[in-house]
Amino acid sequence: MLTKTKIYLSSPHMGGSEQDFVNEAFRTNWIAPLGPNVNGFEDDIKKYIGGDNYHVAALSSGTASIHIALELLGVSAGDEVLCQSFTFSASANPIVYLGAKPVFIDSEVDTWNMCPELLEIAIKNRLEANKKPKAIVAVHLYGMPYKADEIIAISKKYDIPVIEDSAEALGSTYKGRHCGTLSDIGIFSFNGNKIITTSGGGALVSNNEDYKKQAIHLSTQARDNAPHYEHSSVGYNYRMSNVLAGIGRGQMEVLDDRVQARRGVYDFYKANLEKFDDIEFLEEPTGFYSNRWITCIKTKSYEQRENIRLELLKDDIESRPLWKPMHMQPVFKDCLSFTNGTSEKLFDIGLCLPSGSNLTQTDLDRILNVIAKTPNLS
Ligand SMILES: *Cc1c(COP(=O)(O)O)cnc(C)c1O
């Protein structure tokens, strides 16, 4: 019997030279959380996103990068931080690590990201309560840029800085500028399921060089300049290791190919599923360029979404409902939220399809055939 292999939502896709960089780390015994690969990886990212105007600190994860970013912006116990509700929990968890409180903001329908109108309503509400929010965490979800001009205008108007969660959006651009560079501090993730991976890792990006210096200081246990170990603040062990940065250097060589491949996956689904009235896609507004990290579809109803998901599962094909909004999560049930129904609806009817850059045409045809056979799909 011919056994079919499992198809994953998004799996690691090595380029070729990752192992050479890792071997070099072994050969030179740089098996440490610093070294030439870390510096090289930071340089590669910097060149990719726009060159010398930017400063990059390679850290142990995207979550760690958000944690450090919040700390750099002065977030501390009792503060409120505005956070996109429609996201992965890692956007919000670091707010809680600092003893601060997330206030969740729902999405708009054009990009599925933070709704600028609701953001302003929330800010006005919190100002009236005498609780000026310390920061805004906005997310380019599934690689689609958020409405940056509108969000930045509000950030400036009320003087509240933005942390740009670009964990899913390396390679995406907004009006020609790279996601991660649009706001005060950007973060990337190199987790195993992201568009490129170091097996686990992250980066903090800013045009403010001091943020990079402070990020490195804090992520290496906040050691002061002295021959002994002297500390005047609490630090973290959040730096990226030189071995993993070697994987990252190899992955940066193929990042553009990965973006093209994922966009190709989106184009394939769109071209072949568009004929079904029940299925809708998220289009790029003018000036928005998504890396199409994950291709998401909207279906007619919860039942239909589940039918498609379960048909795929029967054929050993992984798919997943869209992110469950943070304001619906048990862990955040006591948090304030400003909602409009958008993310709840998307959670109800949306599905993430396998989108890896390593999917073959055979894989894609197999996925398409299963979806097309879903009962009652029209
Ligand atoms: C993956 C992800 C993170 C966290 O990154 P890690 O490297 O896994 O810690 C944060 N935000 C979003 C939106 C993500 O998808």
Side-chain angles (χ1 to χ4, degrees):
M1 200 184 84
L2 195 73
T3 50
K4 286 185 190 166
T5 49
K6 176 167 177 157
I7 296 180
Y8 292 93
L9 203 59
S10 178
S11 65
H13 185 186
M14 293 298 108
S17 52
E18 290 85 357
Q19 225 157 10
D20 299 336
F21 287 108
V22 172
N23 286 343
E24 182 62 14
F26 275 77
R27 197 186 62 76
T28 53
N29 205 31
W30 277 106
I31 315 292
L34 80 175
N37 279 339
V38 175
N39 299 333
F41 185 44
E42 289 174 345
D43 253 22
D44 294 343
I45 297 170
K46 178 166 123 169
K47 285 197 192 98
Y48 185 83
I49 60 173
D52 287 339
N53 288 337
Y54 299 103
H55 307 280
V56 179
L59 304 179
S60 57
S61 70
T63 311
S65 306
I66 296 171
H67 191 180
I68 297 280
L70 290 162
E71 184 146 337
L72 292 180
L73 295 177
V75 174
S76 63
D79 288 338
E80 289 187 2
V81 174
L82 302 161
C83 180
Q84 186 162 321
S85 185
F86 193 42
T87 186
F88 176 46
S89 63
S91 304
N93 283 337
I95 299 169
V96 181
Y97 302 166
L98 288 164
K101 291 190 199 116
V103 173
F104 293 112
I105 313 291
D106 212 332
S107 294
E108 38 78 17
V109 294
D110 299 333
T111 71
W112 300 356
N113 291 315
M114 186 180 273
C115 172
E117 281 87 39
L118 267 188
L119 173 64
E120 185 157 24
I121 289 169
I123 292 173
K124 284 181 175 158
N125 174 287
R126 299 325 293 147
L127 289 176
E128 271 167 33
N130 232 342
K131 288 292 286 180
K132 182 176 172 179
K134 264 289 174 62
I136 300 164
V137 179
V139 188
H140 306 294
L141 209 63
Y142 301 116
M144 180 63 77
Y146 56 73
K147 292 189 172 172
D149 283 348
E150 289 85 342
I151 302 279
I152 291 164
I154 294 167
S155 150
K156 291 209 170 113
K157 180 169 171 190
Y158 295 96
D159 191 26
I160 305 172
V162 177
I163 295 170
E164 193 183 345
D165 182 344
S166 304
E168 303 177 359
L170 180 60
S172 299
T173 61
Y174 173 82
K175 300 190 176 174
R177 290 167 59 204
H178 273 277
C179 286
T181 67
L182 307 171
S183 308
D184 301 82
I185 302 181
I187 74 94
F188 294 118
S189 165
F190 308 107
N191 204 346
N193 56 353
K194 298 290 164 34
I195 191 148
I196 61 165
T197 183
T198 57
S199 80
L204 182 145
V205 177
S206 179
N207 57 7
N208 180 340
E209 189 170 11
D210 201 46
Y211 282 158
K212 170 182 174 157
K213 286 189 186 143
Q214 286 185 60
I216 291 175
H217 176 70
L218 284 172
S219 65
T220 51
Q221 307 287 22
R223 198 181 158 194
D224 296 340
N225 197 6
H228 59 277
Y229 276 79
E230 176 88 6
H231 305 274
S232 42
S233 47
V234 174
Y236 303 92
N237 183 6
Y238 276 174
R239 194 74 162 123
M240 181 177 280
S241 104
N242 193 56
V243 177
L244 302 191
I247 305 176
R249 296 200 72 184
Q251 288 272 277
M252 284 305 288
E253 292 178 357
V254 294
L255 174 54
D256 279 329
D257 297 339
R258 299 298 180 258
V259 173
Q260 288 318 312
R262 298 225 181 209
R263 286 179 63 85
V265 168
Y266 173 88
D267 290 342
F268 173 84
Y269 285 128
K270 177 124 197 284
N272 291 284
L273 293 172
E274 224 174 9
K275 59 175 179 271
F276 295 105
D277 289 338
D278 295 348
I279 294 181
E280 277 181 63
F281 290 84
L282 179 64
E283 311 271 351
E284 288 165 328
T286 312
F288 291 62
Y289 181 87
S290 171
N291 67 9
R292 295 293 186 189
W293 172 57
I294 299 280
T295 295
C296 306
I297 54 170
K298 281 199 293 180
T299 65
K300 193 179 57 179
S301 62
Y302 169 79
E303 289 70 27
Q304 187 180 63
R305 198 280 308 283
E306 280 301 280
N307 281 341
I308 298 174
R309 189 180 70 79
L310 294 170
E311 284 297 318
L312 289 166
L313 192 63
K314 267 194 261 169
D315 207 62
D316 215 7
I317 299 169
E318 187 182 32
S319 68
R320 194 169 297 153
L322 303 191
W323 297 121
K324 180 171 183 174
M326 292 306 113
H327 72 266
M328 295 172 75
Q329 296 285 359
V331 67
F332 295 124
K333 67 178 185 309
D334 296 329
C335 295
L336 217 60
S337 62
F338 292 81
T339 61
N340 56 17
T342 302
S343 61
E344 290 185 29
K345 181 80 188 167
L346 287 167
F347 174 58
D348 211 33
I349 62 169
L351 189 67
C352 299
L353 298 179
S355 303
S357 48
N358 48 6
L359 291 173
T360 62
Q361 192 56 48
T362 313
D363 293 335
L364 290 169
D365 290 336
R366 181 175 141 204
I367 298 163
L368 186 66
N369 281 333
V370 174
I371 296 175
K373 276 189 295 193
T374 307
N376 302 321
L377 185 71
S378 59

